[in-house]
Structures are given as structure tokens and as C-alpha cells.
Amino acid sequence: RKMGEFPLDPPLSKMLIIAEELGCTAEIVTIVSMLSIPNVFFRPTERAEESDAAREKFFVPESDHLTLLHVYQQWKSNKFSGEWCKDHFIHVKALRKVKEVRSQLLDIMKQQKMMNISCGTNWDVVRKAICSSYFHHAARLKGIGQYLNMRTGMPCHLHPTSALAGLGFTPDYIVYHELVMTTKEYMRTVTAVEPQWLAELGPMFFSVKESVRDRIERKKRERETKQDMDAEMERVLEEERREREMQAKLRQEADEARKNKVLDLG
């Protein structure tokens, strides 16, 4: 019901709702607002290298979504300065639009009695909230820079401007906001995710297969747990046996005391 109250695509509405459960609505509402504009950076041809270097300063290596969050937070810390935007090759009009959208979403959240909570610097929970909304846009690594959509099997590629492209290694699993077709199918706005999150948040779509090592470890843990349970059961049975022996001894002593008392009276 809450999803229908937001003027957003269903996945983004769901992202906001899951974010409340994970305690990161303040970050997700900013990310969702940033996704409402086409592109926050501009790249003048005559200053291409300079603008690329400026953009890279904002990169959060495992996530383009978090890179967008970082841009907004830096703009806010610089008092929403237009001059700051110009220095960093960022569209100030676009960020002002983001600020407006963000304010509207916060008003709707307040009407829906949703909490505006920040997770601070624990951005893993933000990635998990992002993961919760992109099951149909989840992909696994096939080759260098190439992924396969896990639902359709369609090949897709990291865009050269993605923060993940300069990560130094390629994450095994990612989710993306949308595909852009140029010379290839490029993924736009990508975030690295854990396979366990996909299985946990979308069990109807995904499951995590155990590796041989994981299976050996699991069986070892099961054996250890069984041994612990057997030892605990033996301890309980031993205590019960001692308790029975103690009760029998007390009854015997009580019987003997009664007999001696009868003899004394006689």
C-alpha cells in the first residue's frame, strides 16, 4: 500500500520501504532522488580529462548508487553552492531538482509515518537495500567487464564511466538501474552485491549453491553440533541417574530411621 503513495517506479518505492527496515532511509531517499535526473556530471569536450578526474574523486568503488549519494552529501556540506558544482563539473540545476524531489519524498514519508533514519557510514546496509529492488536487474560475472543477467541470460557490460570499472577487480554479482544500448548493452548505475543478499531478499528467484568447501564445512559443523548434543544428553542422563540414587538413598535412610524408632519404643 505504501508503495503506491510514492510517485516513483515500483522498484524505487520498494527500495525506500526496505530501507526503513534496514535503518537507512536518509541515504536511500537521496539515492532515489538522484536517480530521478539523467546525469549529474557534465563533460565538456575541451576539458574531458579534467572533468573525468573531477568525477573520479567522488567514486565509491563498489557502487555507482553510493557515488551519487556521495556527490549530494558533498554538495550539502558545501552549503549547496553553485560555484562548487561548476568547479566539479556538476550540473547545479540537476542537483537543485534532486533537492526538490528529495523534499517531496520526505514529506510523503512523514505522511506515511515512515522514519527518516541514517545508517551513518555503514554503507553495506545501503547496498543491501539497493539489492532488494533490482532482482530483475541482477547479473553475475561471465568475463572481464562482461556480465549475464541472472533472470534472462542476456549479456551486459560495465560502462567505462562506472565507479566499478576502476575498482581493480570485478565483483562476481551486481545489480544495475537500467541498460543503455550504444555499441553494446551497457549497465547504467551499478552496485556490487553479495549473493547471499539475493537469496535472502528474493528466495523466489535465487538460491545460493554450496561449494565443495562450504559443504565440507557445513557437515563438519553438523557433526560437532551432534557431538555437543550427545554430550549434553549424556550429562543430563547422568545427573538424573545421580538424582535417583540420591532419592533412593534418602528413602532408605528414612526407612531405617523409622524402624530404629519403633524398636526403641518397643
Side-chain angles (χ1 to χ4, degrees):
R1 188 180 60 82
K2 280 183 182 177
M3 284 175 63
E5 298 297 325
F6 292 98
L8 299 167
D9 290 337
L12 299 183
S13 298
K14 181 184 177 185
M15 195 189 296
L16 264 178
I17 291 163
I18 297 293
E20 186 180 25
E21 297 173 17
L22 296 175
C24 58
T25 44
E27 288 74 22
I28 290 297
V29 75
T30 300
I31 290 169
V32 167
S33 302
M34 289 289 280
L35 291 170
S36 69
I37 57 170
N39 193 1
V40 71
F41 295 103
F42 65 90
R43 190 175 185 262
T45 308
E46 67 280 5
R47 299 177 68 188
E49 286 186 16
E50 194 179 346
S51 62
D52 288 346
R55 183 175 65 247
E56 286 173 12
K57 289 177 184 176
F58 295 102
F59 280 178
V60 176
E62 58 272 273
S63 173
D64 294 327
H65 293 85
L66 291 177
T67 295
L68 294 176
L69 173 64
H70 189 208
V71 169
Y72 188 88
Q73 288 181 339
Q74 289 299 306
W75 183 49
K76 182 180 177 182
S77 67
N78 283 275
K79 300 178 181 178
F80 305 110
S81 165
E83 197 61 34
W84 178 87
C85 288
K86 185 180 175 184
D87 292 342
H88 291 85
F89 299 90
I90 291 169
H91 291 292
V92 66
K93 286 184 178 179
L95 280 188
R96 285 173 184 158
K97 177 65 178 174
V98 168
K99 189 181 177 187
E100 184 184 317
V101 171
R102 187 177 186 276
S103 178
Q104 291 170 359
L105 292 176
L106 287 172
D107 287 343
I108 296 170
M109 285 170 60
K110 193 173 181 180
Q111 290 166 13
Q112 296 299 310
K113 296 181 171 57
M114 289 176 65
M115 292 184 289
N116 185 21
I117 324 160
S118 173
C119 61
T121 56
N122 182 18
W123 282 4
D124 279 353
V125 295
V126 181
R127 288 196 297 125
K128 191 172 183 179
I130 292 164
C131 176
S132 72
S133 303
Y134 287 126
F135 296 139
H136 293 286
H137 290 176
R140 61 178 175 81
L141 183 65
K142 184 187 179 186
I144 298 171
Q146 184 180 2
Y147 285 82
L148 290 178
N149 184 295
M150 294 174 69
R151 301 282 294 139
T152 65
M154 184 174 68
C156 39
H157 300 78
L158 282 178
H159 197 276
T161 61
S162 170
L164 280 75
L167 187 57
F169 72 95
T170 320
D172 290 333
Y173 294 89
I174 54 93
V175 292
Y176 58 89
H177 180 60
E178 61 187 359
L179 284 176
V180 178
M181 183 63 187
T182 53
T183 52
K184 297 177 182 176
E185 290 278 6
Y186 281 113
M187 298 175 287
R188 185 177 172 219
T189 320
V190 177
T191 286
V193 298
E194 303 297 328
Q196 291 82 2
W197 295 347
L198 291 167
E200 176 191 342
L201 298 166
M204 68 293 292
F205 299 123
F206 307 108
S207 61
V208 178
K209 288 184 179 178
E210 284 186 312
S211 65
V212 174
R213 182 188 296 175
D214 288 341
R215 191 158 58 248
I216 292 169
E217 285 293 322
R218 177 175 58 79
K219 288 184 176 179
K220 183 182 175 184
R221 286 195 301 272
E222 287 173 355
R223 280 197 303 271
E224 289 172 351
T225 301
K226 187 176 184 302
Q227 288 170 359
D228 290 343
M229 289 173 67
D230 290 346
E232 178 67 14
M233 181 60 74
E234 285 180 18
R235 186 184 64 77
V236 170
L237 291 172
E238 180 64 19
E239 286 180 359
E240 288 177 352
R241 186 184 64 78
R242 288 178 183 174
E243 180 67 23
R244 285 196 300 272
E245 288 177 355
M246 180 66 70
Q247 293 294 333
K249 186 178 179 182
L250 289 172
R251 282 196 299 272
Q252 186 179 357
E253 289 175 354
D255 289 343
E256 288 177 359
R258 278 198 300 274
K259 287 177 184 177
N260 291 334
K261 189 175 180 181
V262 170
L263 289 173
D264 289 344
L265 289 170

